[in-house]
Amino acid sequence: MTDQEMKTLLKAQQGELDAVLMYKALSEAVRDEKDKKTFMQLSSEEGHHASIFKGLTNTVLKPRKTLATFVPMAYKLIGKKKLYPIIAKFEYDAVNTYMPVVERFPEVESVKNDEKRHGDTVLALLE
């Protein structure tokens, strides 16, 4: 594994861990029951993704609470119509982050596909 691949995988692992806490916190902040259930499901899936990356990096990372603190506050301040597209963009950006390592690490393909679906799922909550 190259240094750049390790750097990408560690960044991905950290992002997935942070997303677990963010979606869990967001599920506790939102009012809509469908949104709550969706965010709990996304939190669970992000945890699975983090474990895939941990298997590749053999590194234990701790989730950072920054997004878990900021995103629920943003929900209360700007509302879901403005916040959810921002969250979806982060999910879509992850797809591009994972692209360079998919060929060498095929298990990342399913994670990449899930991130696209996560972005679509969050946007669908606005319909």
Side-chain angles (χ1 to χ4, degrees):
M1 177 181 315
T2 68
D3 286 345
Q4 184 57 47
E5 288 169 338
M6 179 59 102
K7 184 177 175 184
T8 299
L9 294 173
L10 285 169
K11 179 182 175 188
Q13 183 180 346
Q14 187 67 59
E16 299 294 335
L17 284 170
D18 296 349
V20 170
L21 293 184
M22 179 197 75
Y23 280 128
K24 185 174 184 310
L26 193 53
S27 76
E28 295 167 359
V30 299
R31 294 179 212 99
D32 185 275
E33 198 58 39
K34 181 180 178 185
D35 292 14
K36 281 182 187 295
K37 288 179 182 175
T38 298
F39 291 136
M40 282 306 295
Q41 179 63 38
L42 294 178
S43 176
S44 173
E45 291 178 15
E46 298 291 12
H48 176 69
H49 296 164
S51 70
I52 290 171
F53 287 113
K54 182 181 179 283
L56 294 170
T57 66
N58 292 315
T59 304
V60 176
L61 300 175
K62 293 183 179 180
R64 296 178 299 217
K65 297 177 183 173
T66 309
L67 289 175
T69 302
F70 175 75
V71 171
M73 285 192 308
Y75 173 82
K76 291 174 181 164
L77 290 172
I78 65 174
K80 71 190 242 176
K81 288 183 181 175
K82 290 185 180 175
L83 179 63
Y84 289 9
I86 295 168
I87 293 171
K89 183 183 180 328
F90 281 119
E91 295 288 359
Y92 296 139
D93 287 349
V95 172
N96 295 326
T97 299
Y98 301 162
M99 287 294 285
V101 294
V102 165
E103 188 173 317
R104 201 134 126 66
F105 306 97
E107 53 271 71
V108 176
E109 178 77 30
S110 67
V111 177
K112 178 184 71 77
N113 294 339
D114 282 351
E115 298 305 330
K116 163 78 168 77
R117 182 177 48 79
H118 288 178
D120 295 345
T121 298
V122 171
L123 289 179
L125 293 173
L126 293 174
E127 296 172 358

